Short mmCIF file of all heavy atoms in Angstrom, two decimals:
data_model
loop_
_atom_site.label_atom_id
_atom_site.label_comp_id
_atom_site.label_asym_id
_atom_site.label_seq_id
_atom_site.Cartn_x
_atom_site.Cartn_y
_atom_site.Cartn_z
N ALA A 1115 3.91 26.12 -19.17
CA ALA A 1115 3.44 27.47 -18.89
C ALA A 1115 4.56 28.49 -19.04
O ALA A 1115 4.31 29.66 -19.32
CB ALA A 1115 2.85 27.53 -17.48
N ASN A 1219 -8.21 51.03 -82.21
CA ASN A 1219 -8.01 49.89 -81.32
C ASN A 1219 -7.07 48.86 -81.93
O ASN A 1219 -6.22 48.27 -81.24
CB ASN A 1219 -9.34 49.24 -80.96
CG ASN A 1219 -10.21 50.12 -80.08
OD1 ASN A 1219 -9.72 51.04 -79.43
ND2 ASN A 1219 -11.50 49.88 -80.07
N PRO A 1224 -1.73 46.24 -79.84
CA PRO A 1224 -0.39 45.61 -79.76
C PRO A 1224 0.61 46.43 -78.96
O PRO A 1224 1.45 45.87 -78.24
CB PRO A 1224 0.03 45.50 -81.24
CG PRO A 1224 -1.24 45.52 -82.01
CD PRO A 1224 -2.15 46.43 -81.24
N GLY A 1241 10.62 44.18 -57.48
CA GLY A 1241 9.94 43.68 -56.29
C GLY A 1241 8.62 44.34 -55.96
O GLY A 1241 8.23 44.41 -54.79
N ILE A 1255 -11.96 60.44 -62.17
CA ILE A 1255 -11.07 60.66 -61.03
C ILE A 1255 -9.94 59.63 -61.10
O ILE A 1255 -10.19 58.46 -61.36
CB ILE A 1255 -11.86 60.50 -59.71
CG1 ILE A 1255 -12.97 61.55 -59.63
CG2 ILE A 1255 -10.92 60.61 -58.50
CD1 ILE A 1255 -13.86 61.39 -58.42
N GLN A 1287 1.79 67.93 -71.69
CA GLN A 1287 0.79 67.92 -72.74
C GLN A 1287 -0.29 66.87 -72.44
O GLN A 1287 0.03 65.71 -72.19
CB GLN A 1287 1.44 67.58 -74.10
CG GLN A 1287 2.47 68.61 -74.54
CD GLN A 1287 1.83 69.96 -74.83
OE1 GLN A 1287 0.69 70.02 -75.25
NE2 GLN A 1287 2.59 71.02 -74.59
N LYS A 1296 -14.66 65.37 -84.75
CA LYS A 1296 -15.95 65.31 -85.43
C LYS A 1296 -15.88 66.10 -86.73
O LYS A 1296 -15.09 67.02 -86.87
CB LYS A 1296 -17.05 65.89 -84.52
CG LYS A 1296 -17.23 65.12 -83.22
CD LYS A 1296 -18.32 65.75 -82.39
CE LYS A 1296 -18.50 65.00 -81.08
NZ LYS A 1296 -19.55 65.61 -80.23
#
Side-chain angles (χ1 to χ4, degrees):
N1219 291 340
I1255 298 175
Q1287 298 294 328
K1296 298 180 181 179

